[in-house]
Each structure stands twice: as C-alpha cells, then as structure tokens.
Amino acid sequence: MSKKIAVVGSNMVDLVTYMDRMPVLGETLEAPLFEMGCGGKGANQAFAAARLGADVMMVTKVGDDIFGDNTIFNLQKAGIDTKHVGVIKGKSSGVAPIFVDKSGENSILIVKGANADLLHQDVDDAAEDLKQCGLILMQMEVPVETVYHTIAFAAANGIETILNPAPAAADLDPERIRQVSFLVPNETELALLSDMPVSTDEETIAAARSLIAKGIRTVIVTLGGRGARLVTADTVINIAPVKVTPKDTTGAGDAFIGSFACFYAKHGNVVEALKSASLYAADSITKTGTQKSYATVQEFEEFCKNHS
C-alpha cells in the first residue's frame, strides 16, 4: 500500500508573463501573454503527487487575501488535505512573478509573504497527522529553522524525508540536514551547498560526495535536459533524459520531485521512481504553466506509451 505523503513547505501565486525577450534596464516592452496560477515549490510538489493519485497532506501558511482563499480551494480541488493550512491575518500570500522567453526558459522572483510565518510550532501542531505519513517533502521557501525542525521530527519518528534545497543557501547547516533520506538539488544549488565546481560530470559527482561525507545518505542531482544523477557513498546511477520539445520549463523540477515522491511512496524502488519522475517532468514541459501542466494518471500513461 502506498505511504501517505506530507509536504511541509511553501505555496505561491504564479504571475506568469510570456515574452519575446527580457527588457533591458529602463526599457518597456509589450509581452504577448499573461497567466496567473497557483504555484510555490511546496504546493507544486504536493499537487504533482496528488495528480498521480497519492494521498497528500500539506502544512503551509497563506495570507488573508484572495490569493490565499484561491490557494486553499486549489489544494482541496486536487484532493490535498488542507487541515494544516493556516491563514496569517494582515499579511499577503506568497507570490512569484515568472518571466518565460520564446525558448521556454524562465526567470523567477519570489515574495515569501505568509510563507515566512510557517514556524516549528506549526509542525508540532500537525504532529499526530504527520506521524501517519511515510514520507515528508520540504523546500527552502519557508524559514530554515522550520526545515531543520521538520527533519529532526521526521528522524525521531522514523519517517523518510526529501529535502529540495531551493532556493539554496550557502549557510545551510550540513549537520542539521544530514538525517534527510534524499537531498535533491539542481547543479546550481549543489555548487552553492558544496562550494565546489560542477561544470563536468566528475565535478558534479565529487561535489555530491562531499555532502555525503558530511552525513547525507543520498544525493539526487537534477540536470535539466540532461536527466538526473543518483549519488551515494558507493554508487552513481545516471537517469537518462526524456527527449521532448519544451514549451515551458517552469515547475519542471517540482514535477520531478513531487512525482518521485509519489512513485517512491508507492513501491519503494528509488531508481524506478526516478525513471518515472524523469518521464513525468518531461511531459510537464511540453505544456505551458506550472500545476496545470502536471498530468493525471491517465494522461501520464498516454505520454509513456509514446516515450518509453
């Protein structure tokens, strides 16, 4: 039976502008398209797992504004348990202005808003429900002390964890994250966390192993269009990329992590879960938007028929 998944993390409202190019300083350009949708790394990962049928709960905070109301409705519509989604009075919800160019590449700003008020007490308040979960996902769009507290809570209760260290911080304490089951950075985040170069495959492996030497069990490095790499103390396994024509890469990393959590919670096979997650993320970039690009079980099965 699949383990229940909890996400202790962020939510945002994505404000997406599609453009031909970024304006230079002082320049005004007309952009052809604007869309608004629900996002945030935590909510995205929860949404991806839920779309694939996982039993998901979320611990997060929203502002007392229309964005917050919409975020809660959106999570509930996806079947995500929102019992522990709190509302912070007098504060805005988190927002993420996103700029997508013609090639599908993106630049993103985030304003944490109410996400900054997700505190360790909120984890303690959700403790009894969290103890019913087999896997907890975290990201770095909430206070770092909340992340540390959640890792310690999960370790004390025998719950596996995934930490996506994004946005990365060079001062992330390796001692306080060493109990995570899976650390999932991209190359930029890996370079910052390890203070080592990652311009070649050998450098990437060495950087990942430097984190493993500090006590982290497993590092999964996401490589964008080059797939992913699983690194442990004695193993390196490359996960091949899935070739597609991208329309919008926004949220692809969250699609990968959220779907990996779902597949791993379902059968416990890390490598097979990563292969499936690579397919799921590839499917997401063939469509525009973030959460709306995440496939249902039926849509994903159809994609896999043509890309297996």
Side-chain angles (χ1 to χ4, degrees):
M1 191 171 83
S2 183
K3 299 175 183 176
K4 186 172 183 177
I5 297 169
V7 178
V8 177
S10 61
N11 67 86
M12 299 277 175
V13 173
D14 291 339
L15 308 171
V16 188
T17 300
Y18 294 91
M19 59 191 182
D20 295 326
R21 64 173 176 83
M22 284 288 286
V24 299
L25 191 64
E27 181 184 22
T28 299
L29 288 177
E30 182 179 347
L33 182 63
F34 171 82
E35 293 183 353
M36 185 170 69
C38 292
K41 292 183 182 301
N44 286 347
Q45 292 169 22
F47 195 90
R51 289 280 276 177
L52 287 166
D55 185 1
V56 183
M57 65 172 280
M58 189 157 189
V59 182
T60 192
K61 288 291 179 68
V62 299
D64 62 343
D65 52 23
I66 58 171
F67 289 158
D69 294 340
N70 190 56
T71 292
I72 294 172
F73 173 74
N74 184 66
L75 293 172
Q76 291 172 341
K77 189 172 65 172
I80 296 166
D81 183 347
T82 60
K83 177 182 177 182
H84 298 288
V85 178
V87 178
I88 301 297
K89 295 200 175 296
K91 201 154 194 178
S92 74
S93 296
V95 296
I98 300 171
F99 306 92
V100 183
D101 68 18
K102 286 193 295 186
S103 70
E105 294 300 318
N106 63 75
S107 300
I108 304 174
L109 296 170
I110 65 167
V111 181
K112 284 185 177 180
N115 290 295
D117 290 271
L118 184 67
L119 305 177
H120 67 81
Q121 184 59 49
D122 299 304
V123 177
D124 293 342
D125 290 345
E128 292 309 309
D129 290 323
L130 289 171
K131 288 175 184 177
Q132 305 306 310
C133 298
L135 186 62
I136 298 177
L137 277 68
M138 294 157 285
Q139 315 78 30
M140 301 302 298
E141 291 177 335
V142 299
V144 67
E145 288 296 330
T146 306
V147 174
Y148 292 153
H149 185 77
T150 305
I151 292 169
F153 168 87
N157 288 280
I159 304 168
E160 290 193 286
T161 48
I162 298 173
L163 174 59
N164 173 215
D171 60 351
L172 192 64
D173 187 347
E175 179 63 25
R176 299 185 72 181
I177 66 170
R178 66 181 181 82
Q179 291 177 301
V180 299
S181 307
F182 304 99
L183 183 71
V184 191
N186 63 23
E187 290 174 289
T188 301
E189 292 151 2
L190 176 62
L192 190 61
L193 293 173
S194 65
D195 195 26
M196 293 175 67
V198 293
S199 56
T200 67
D201 289 345
E202 292 75 16
E203 289 177 347
T204 300
I205 294 167
R209 287 245 164 95
S210 76
L211 299 179
I212 290 167
K214 294 177 180 177
I216 294 168
R217 188 177 83 189
T218 304
V219 178
I220 299 166
V221 187
T222 57
L223 305 169
R226 301 187 343 269
R229 180 168 292 129
L230 171 69
V231 184
T232 66
D234 53 11
T235 304
V236 175
I237 298 174
N238 293 316
I239 306 300
V242 179
K243 298 299 182 184
V244 295
T245 301
K247 286 186 178 178
D248 182 0
T249 60
T250 308
D254 295 331
F256 180 89
I257 294 168
S259 63
F260 167 69
C262 176
F263 297 126
Y264 178 69
K266 187 176 296 184
H267 53 62
N269 186 313
V270 177
V271 174
E272 289 306 311
L274 288 172
K275 289 177 180 178
S276 296
S278 184
L279 280 160
Y280 193 80
D283 179 45
S284 77
I285 69 173
T286 65
K287 294 164 275 188
T288 60
T290 306
Q291 292 179 10
K292 72 175 187 177
S293 73
Y294 297 168
T296 63
V297 173
Q298 294 76 18
E299 290 167 344
F300 181 55
E301 288 175 350
E302 192 63 33
F303 177 83
C304 289
K305 287 179 185 177
N306 299 317
H307 294 85
S308 57

